[in-house]
Amino acid sequence: MLSVDDLASFGAPRALVDLWSANVAELTDIQEKAVRAGVLDGATNVLAVAPTSSGKTLIGELAATKCFLGVHAA
């Protein structure tokens, strides 16, 4: 199981990893699957279908973060 701190090794900005890890220690199964599927690479589309309270919001935040950084890095 991935911890939130592991997100930095997948390309998440360290400042955001620190913010997220202040509230969440480990990723849920669906979050880990999304990370391993490429949600943080900025090029992969991910469809997350899961029950309420399974962690879909964080998946969206991860995808939005990479999209924002990709657009504003140029």
Side-chain angles (χ1 to χ4, degrees):
M1 180 165 276
L2 289 176
S3 72
V4 173
D5 285 329
D6 293 330
L7 293 175
S9 66
F10 285 90
R14 185 78 237 173
L16 287 176
V17 170
D18 292 342
L19 286 172
W20 289 323
S21 65
N23 297 301
V24 179
E26 293 185 343
L27 299 177
T28 64
D29 289 340
I30 191 76
Q31 291 165 341
E32 182 174 348
K33 287 178 183 177
V35 169
R36 294 191 186 280
V39 75
L40 282 167
D41 70 11
T44 301
N45 293 321
V46 175
L47 175 64
V49 180
T52 300
S53 297
S54 60
K56 295 182 302 290
T57 298
L58 181 60
I59 294 170
E61 290 176 6
L62 294 170
T65 298
K66 286 307 279 191
C67 287
F68 177 80
L69 291 174
V71 168
H72 288 81

